[in-house]
Amino acid sequence: MAMARGSSGLAYPDRFFAAAAYVGFGGSPDSASTGVISKFPNDVALLLYGLYQQATIGPCKVPKPSAWNPVENGKWTSWNGLGNMASTEAMRLFVKLLEEEDPAWYSRIPETVVEPVVEPVVDKEVKPKVDLGRADGDFHPEPDIIPTENGNTLETPGVDVPSGGLGGINIYDQWIAPEVSGQPPKSRYEHGAAVVQEKMYIFGGNHNGRYLSDLQFLDLKSLTWSKIEAKVQTPDSSNTALPVPCAGHSLVPWGSKILSIAGHAKDPSETVTVKEFDPQTCTWSDLKAYGKAPVARGGQSVTLVGMNLVMFGGQDAKRALLNDLHILDLETMTWDDIDAVGVPPSPRSDHAAAVHADRYVLIFGGGSHATCFNDLHVLDLQNMEWSKPKQQGIVPSPRAGHAGVTVGENWYIVGGGDNINGVSETLVLNMSTLVWSVVTTVQGRVPLASEGLSLVVSSHMGEDILVSFGGYNGRYSNEVYALKPSHKSGLHPKMLERPESESVGGQLPISNAPRDGEPEFGTDQDRKISEAVADDVNSEHANVRSKATDEQLLATLKADKEELEAALAKEELQRHQLKQELTESEARNVELTKELQSVRGQLAGEQSRCFKLEVDIAELRQKLQTLETLQKELELLRRQKAASEQAALDAKQRQSPGGVWGWLAGPPSDPSA
């Protein structure tokens, strides 16, 4: 049966048969590469074999081969370990495992492949093409020849695109790995992601210490990856150049275009650059900005608020951490250096930022050279003032490299780490009440518990869906995950707590150790099967868990209702008591007001008396001053009188010679007598 190719891939089971033919199963003379299976490690090849047998024949019912044949024994163990796994699930895991081991397999298959003939006969095994020339039964790899990528956007003519897409997600508040077709981007972290016209664009990033410059998008309707051969428009319109590889930049949707701000590069500029990508022409262009541009950096946060971009923090080319604040007016393309009042967040990078009510910018987490943070800061754009409000609910663990996206008043935070462990829980902050709660928690070292991942929000049938991509937690990822939020996490934190996942290993018919005479790779094979079948177990029990979760949710809601009713009654009693106290206080206030008025009247009378006394005192002082003047004049007159009397006496004495003795002696005799 001929099948067409396309970037969207083939629908099951056609995609499975194409993958099986590529690996070499089925015995078709037109198989893409009959020796491809020999490239894989033993445990992978055996797991592919077991999944193929499970998908085409069903559960293993053949007797166990003799222990002296390790290859046949290993194949039987791989098949038998899958138990009663459904055929469709085995097909899905087969394709998933092949894409993990050989991501470019789909680009190497010929234009037509032949569906293998499946015979429902148990004793006729379809054996992989392996080299049994050595007694140890090892698979001998052939040279791995990988053609270079052509970089062209893939087309999908005549191919049935999977109709499920994001609409196939019917579970709330749980991360799902949807089936994605097309050739995915290279694994990376610290990339940029933005959604424009129902397409998630991925640009740049870091892989093994190398900066990337490719641009790809995921069609969120069909969940199909496509690559764009983007060019940079130079001042000379006749010439184009390739985009500059970068990481730690910010990708922001702006109308029908995308803005890329800042970022680390091999040859960084002195100041922050702003680039614009036009999906219609597939070209990048540098936007000229005015004002004082910030110093070049990466790991900053850039938040779109109306017609402005608010940029905070980051790390410059010399690894110096920053906590400066800048705003770019997109209408005038002018930078403004903001000196906000209050205490700003400490210098940091790889934090998350969000805007609430077009007025408040929230900064959460981030890291320095020595530690990671879990603090929350708020910038009031009207007053240009920093504050550090008290957080409610659970206490988030310190983290950096996390991603965030807002849905209404809820701010979802995913991933991040503290340089030791990745953060496994997905948090949500109600930005109105500042209450944190846990949406869900992932198990193990999955990409969702990694640093440098991206997170965007899309919608399907009126419901919001979070989509994550990439990240690094010891290995680079290019996987896509999706979560449909229930929008209740900020209101009822308790009911969102999920029970711990049940152990999958105890439900699998897999031995824990190899038996005597069995190959040593049995334990590794069991581990591989456990990892692969974990998805199947989760899928089989999804409805059961969903029902149990609903029952638990209902019970939790009832308990919350009872608690709320009790709290309401208590609040009503307190309100009644407060009302009585308020009435008493108002009565006391009336009495005190009357007393105050009386005192004010008395005080007014006293003030009048005091004024009169002050007038009298002023008059008396004036009279006293007059009296003193009169006393001085009187004293002067007395002195003058005394002086006059003395002068008169002296004159009289001079007029009467002899004085008393002369009088007593009589008048003097006349000399002429």
Side-chain angles (χ1 to χ4, degrees):
M1 180 180 65
M3 292 172 285
R5 298 178 60 187
S7 62
S8 62
L10 303 174
Y12 292 122
D14 294 342
R15 187 175 178 85
F16 162 74
F17 288 125
Y22 169 77
V23 172
F25 293 155
S28 170
D30 295 327
S31 295
S33 177
T34 56
V36 171
I37 186 64
S38 60
K39 294 193 312 178
F40 302 122
N42 293 347
D43 54 349
V44 176
L46 288 174
L47 184 53
L48 287 172
Y49 168 81
L51 290 170
Y52 179 80
Q53 293 291 90
Q54 189 80 8
T56 56
I57 299 177
C60 179
K61 297 181 180 180
V62 299
K64 183 177 181 180
S66 302
W68 58 267
N69 192 334
V71 174
E72 296 298 327
N73 202 303
K75 289 158 57 179
W76 182 90
T77 302
S78 175
W79 184 11
N80 186 68
L82 299 178
N84 294 322
M85 177 185 292
S87 175
T88 55
E89 183 66 11
M91 292 181 180
R92 187 184 72 84
L93 293 176
F94 184 95
V95 176
K96 180 180 179 181
L97 180 59
L98 177 60
E99 290 179 346
E100 290 179 353
E101 299 295 330
D102 189 358
W105 74 271
Y106 188 72
S107 63
R108 302 192 188 114
I109 63 176
E111 292 297 328
T112 59
V113 293
V114 178
E115 179 181 345
V117 178
V118 181
E119 299 181 8
V121 181
V122 176
D123 57 352
K124 291 185 178 180
E125 298 183 7
V126 182
K127 300 180 180 179
K129 300 295 187 296
V130 297
D131 185 2
L132 301 179
R134 291 178 56 179
D136 55 7
D138 287 344
F139 295 94
H140 301 286
E142 294 180 354
D144 189 5
I145 303 175
I146 302 178
T148 59
E149 298 178 358
N150 54 21
N152 295 328
T153 303
L154 300 178
E155 302 292 335
T156 59
V159 176
D160 294 332
V161 178
S163 60
L166 297 178
I169 303 175
N170 53 13
I171 301 177
Y172 289 94
D173 297 331
Q174 289 188 17
W175 285 105
I176 303 296
E179 179 187 346
V180 179
S181 57
Q183 183 172 347
K186 179 180 291 185
S187 302
R188 68 192 67 198
Y189 81 122
E190 291 185 341
H191 52 277
V195 174
V196 174
Q197 296 177 351
E198 298 187 271
K199 293 182 175 65
M200 180 180 70
Y201 289 84
I202 301 295
F203 172 64
N206 190 325
H207 179 85
N208 288 335
R210 299 183 60 183
Y211 297 141
L212 306 176
S213 62
D214 58 331
L215 178 64
Q216 306 193 36
F217 70 85
L218 177 67
D219 190 324
L220 297 176
K221 291 183 178 179
S222 60
L223 294 182
T224 304
W225 281 110
S226 298
K227 185 175 182 180
I228 299 176
E229 189 69 23
K231 298 293 184 179
V232 176
Q233 192 68 38
T234 60
D236 182 4
S237 59
S238 60
N239 296 326
T240 57
L242 295 176
V244 177
C246 62
H249 50 288
S250 300
L251 217 59
V252 179
W254 176 241
S256 61
K257 299 181 180 180
I258 300 174
L259 301 179
S260 178
I261 302 96
H264 296 297
K266 183 178 180 181
D267 298 317
S269 59
E270 294 183 358
T271 58
V272 167
T273 59
V274 181
K275 302 176 182 179
E276 180 186 70
F277 176 74
D278 188 349
Q280 299 296 327
T281 61
C282 295
T283 56
W284 285 100
S285 58
D286 293 330
L287 299 182
K288 184 178 180 180
Y290 303 91
K292 185 180 179 181
V295 64
R297 67 193 65 195
Q300 71 290 327
S301 63
V302 176
T303 309
L304 178 64
V305 184
M307 298 291 292
N308 300 289
L309 291 179
V310 181
M311 184 175 71
F312 171 78
Q315 179 177 280
D316 65 14
K318 298 180 181 179
R319 298 187 72 248
L321 293 169
L322 308 169
N323 68 338
D324 51 349
L325 181 65
H326 303 268
I327 294 181
L328 176 63
D329 189 329
L330 293 175
E331 289 185 327
T332 62
M333 289 304 297
T334 303
W335 282 105
D336 191 7
D337 185 5
I338 305 299
D339 186 13
V341 299
V343 180
S346 59
R348 65 191 62 197
S349 65
D350 299 328
H351 50 278
V355 60
H356 176 55
D358 287 334
R359 175 177 175 177
Y360 304 99
V361 174
L362 288 76
I363 304 293
F364 170 69
S368 65
H369 297 313
T371 186
C372 294
F373 307 105
N374 64 343
D375 50 356
L376 179 66
H377 298 263
V378 177
L379 172 66
D380 188 339
L381 293 175
Q382 287 190 4
N383 304 324
M384 285 302 170
E385 181 179 4
W386 286 106
S387 62
K388 188 177 180 181
K390 182 179 179 181
Q391 305 178 61
Q392 307 292 333
I394 68 164
V395 179
S397 60
R399 69 197 66 197
H402 46 288
V405 69
T406 59
V407 178
E409 292 187 341
N410 293 326
W411 186 19
Y412 291 87
I413 301 294
V414 179
D418 57 3
N419 295 323
I420 300 177
N421 297 312
V423 180
S424 60
E425 71 267 15
T426 297
L427 301 177
V428 61
L429 173 70
N430 186 303
M431 293 184 289
S432 296
T433 61
L434 297 181
V435 176
W436 287 102
S437 56
V438 177
V439 179
T440 186
T441 302
V442 297
Q443 303 294 331
R445 298 182 63 181
V446 297
L448 291 166
S450 60
E451 301 181 21
L453 75 169
S454 62
L455 184 67
V456 299
V457 60
S458 180
S459 62
H460 180 80
M461 300 296 291
E463 292 187 295
D464 297 308
I465 297 178
L466 311 185
V467 182
S468 74
F469 171 79
Y472 177 79
N473 61 353
R475 73 177 187 91
Y476 298 92
S477 170
N478 64 347
E479 299 181 31
V480 176
Y481 291 86
L483 179 142
K484 183 186 293 186
S486 63
H487 302 287
K488 299 178 181 178
S489 52
L491 301 177
H492 303 285
K494 292 183 179 180
M495 75 179 185
L496 293 175
E497 296 177 0
R498 294 283 185 262
E500 296 182 358
S501 301
E502 298 179 355
S503 176
V504 177
Q507 301 177 5
L508 300 178
I510 302 175
S511 59
N512 294 326
R515 298 180 181 179
D516 296 337
E518 292 184 349
E520 295 181 356
F521 51 77
T523 302
D524 294 335
Q525 176 65 19
D526 294 343
R527 177 180 56 80
K528 278 282 187 176
I529 295 175
S530 298
E531 295 175 355
V533 178
D535 294 336
D536 177 66
V537 173
N538 292 333
S539 177
E540 291 178 354
H541 294 281
N543 294 331
V544 177
R545 290 200 306 269
S546 178
K547 182 177 180 181
T549 303
D550 291 342
E551 293 178 353
Q552 181 183 5
L553 183 61
L554 183 59
T556 306
L557 284 173
K558 291 181 178 179
D560 289 345
K561 179 182 178 182
E562 294 176 356
E563 292 179 3
L564 289 175
E565 289 176 349
L568 183 61
K570 184 177 179 181
E571 292 295 334
E572 184 68 22
L573 179 61
Q574 292 180 355
R575 188 183 69 85
H576 181 69
Q577 294 176 351
L578 290 174
K579 187 176 181 180
Q580 290 180 345
E581 294 177 359
L582 180 61
T583 303
E584 295 175 358
S585 298
E586 290 177 349
R588 289 196 300 268
N589 187 31
V590 172
E591 295 176 358
L592 291 174
T593 302
K594 292 180 180 180
E595 293 180 2
L596 179 61
Q597 292 176 350
S598 176
V599 171
R600 284 178 177 175
Q602 295 176 3
L603 181 60
E606 293 296 330
Q607 287 178 344
S608 178
R609 291 174 54 192
C610 288
F611 178 74
K612 292 180 180 180
L613 289 175
E614 288 177 354
V615 173
D616 294 341
I617 291 173
E619 292 177 352
L620 290 174
R621 284 179 179 176
Q622 187 176 5
K623 291 179 180 180
L624 181 60
Q625 291 178 354
T626 304
L627 181 61
E628 290 177 353
T629 303
L630 292 174
Q631 286 179 350
K632 289 180 181 179
E633 292 179 353
L634 180 61
E635 182 66 24
L636 180 62
L637 291 173
R638 286 177 179 175
R639 289 180 181 179
Q640 291 178 354
K641 180 181 178 182
S644 298
E645 291 177 351
Q646 184 66 33
L649 181 62
D650 291 342
K652 186 177 180 180
Q653 289 178 354
R654 284 193 300 269
Q655 293 177 1
S656 301
V660 176
W661 298 107
W663 176 75
L664 292 175
S669 60
D670 187 1
S672 62

